[in-house]
Amino acid sequence: METLGHYIDGKRVADETRTQPVFNPATGSPAHQVALASTATVEATIAAAQTAFPAWRATQPLKRARILFKYKELLEKNADRVVEAIVAEHGKVWEDAHGELARGIEVVEYACGAPEFLKGEYSRDVGPDIDSWSEFPPLGVVAGITPFNFPAMVPMWMFPMALACGNTFILKPSEKVPSASLILAELLTEAGLPPGVFNVVNGDKEAVDKLLTDPRVKAVSFVGSTPVAEYIYTTGTAHGKRVQALGGAKNHAVVMPDADLDNAVNAIMGAAYGSCGERCMAISVVVAVGDAVGDELVRRLKPKVENLRIGNGTERGLDMGPLVTGPHRDKVRGYIDLGAEEGAELVVDGRNFKLAGHKEGFFLGGTLLDHVRPDMRVYQDEIFGPVLAVVRVQDLAEAIALIDAHEFGNGTCVFTRDGAVARRFSDAVQVGMVGINVPLPVPVACQSFGGWKRSLFGDLYAYGPDAVRFYTRRKTMTQRWAVRGVEKAQFAFPSNG
Ligand code: NAD
């Protein structure tokens, strides 16, 4: 069986003693092995990235952007190759994999604006004969640690911006989905990126811990589950690094009595069951305002959930593929058992779904739980599967209070025809990304992505303008060329008074 290795200093390297299998979730069989980097391998990767840094930093932003332009073209040309790798290891359906790659390419497009976003700030005449300006130099070697659920897009939230800003980069992808990152790395080399500027180390905690503690790594971007995000943040910052660590979620969709229910139901279906619910922006809770709305929503959702088109993501026109691994499928199934035990009404039960010809695949059907209460674990925990919970409240204030009491604050949305309700909701709710009649309010590349509360540890969001600040360090110059002759010594603190 083939072992996928790393991409270090411009070439593939596959020499590792520890490996683990990578499964094709649709068949349930191991497709290949992935190498798990030792501390020594990560050490060598950091050294390569460190060596490549001075020349890359000195490369004009325009020339860096030109490589990224070329990269965008290559990504578009090779899109099916990347998508095939995503579908084979993650299991999401073909069109959805294309969608995530397209959103990643949008970040590359934004990163091509490097000459604009790195041009700095200038203030003339801040004092007598004195001008002042700020520059935004890169940090050095920076690292990205990414989850399984977006094998291409989440790495691309990070490295295009980091590279555009003049840093060198080490990506540690999820060991469940190693292939897409290796293709992304090869295409960067083909686009003209010098060796060592972008590297991929596959691995687990051993590799991550080396990245978190080595003083040559200046910043770490992380996306994954909340317990690991918190660990990454506390360990990385304790070692003097800048860290942004994006964590888990439980995203609520509030449906008001005046909502356009036809659109709301379709929007909720896609947002809850798309990618098998394995999205950090997936809608996992519907908050029905009023029992009448709750009853009508459940009546309309039930047949749609029962008729989800589920299959091997290599086929076209499907709604949902398998879950990523056997243990994850079992965990999600365990939550459906728990929901029933806790007293939720199991309106649609996906536990017994079987796909003909794919008996060993990690499939589950869509599940709909009604009358879920905030004290239930199926409400509190991130399930990360095709399980939608319906909670009923009496008014908007109760809906907002419910959302605010939850530990996570990644995304949320409200369905309403009333602008004042929409405004009140978006002003008050303690969540980082808010949709008004938009179920997955994932910010576009010229905005930035991040949640509140325990969905994000750190100060700056991913990609967009926040990424420029995250991957650079402000340096402010104050310069005087005296044209007014000799000035007296000043012992009082200089001011413009
Ligand atoms: P995960 O936390 O298990 O793994 C993420 C990364 O951390 C992987 O690269 C993994 O190898 C590494 N890792 C895992 N355990 C570690 C440990 N103990 N020490 C050091 N490194 C470790 O997450 P996952 O299961 O791959 O992804 C799903 C999670 O990611 C969900 O919770 C989802 O909400 C979250 N997610 C969040 C966002 C966001 O933007 N907030 C986006 C996508 C996914």
Side-chain angles (χ1 to χ4, degrees), residues 381-396:
D381 296 358
E382 180 184 46
I383 298 174
F384 223 55
V387 180
L388 179 63
V390 179
V391 178
R392 289 141 186 264
V393 297
Q394 290 318 307
D395 56 26
L396 180 64

Side-chain angles (χ1 to χ4, degrees), residues 145-150 154 157 172-176 203-205 208-209 222-226 228 231-232 246-249 280 382 384 410 449 455:
I145 300 159
T146 52
F148 78 80
N149 68 324
F150 284 103
V154 170
W157 282 0
K172 206 303 284 171
S174 164
E175 57 275 47
K176 295 178 185 128
D204 55 10
K205 185 168 163 49
V208 170
D209 283 347
F222 172 87
V223 175
S225 60
T226 284
V228 183
Y231 169 74
I232 300 282
L246 284 69
C280 68
E382 180 184 46
F384 223 55
N410 214 40
F449 181 109
S455 293

Side-chain angles (χ1 to χ4, degrees), residues 137 186 261 278 311 352 374:
E186 283 175 345
L261 279 194
E278 293 170 324
N352 297 321

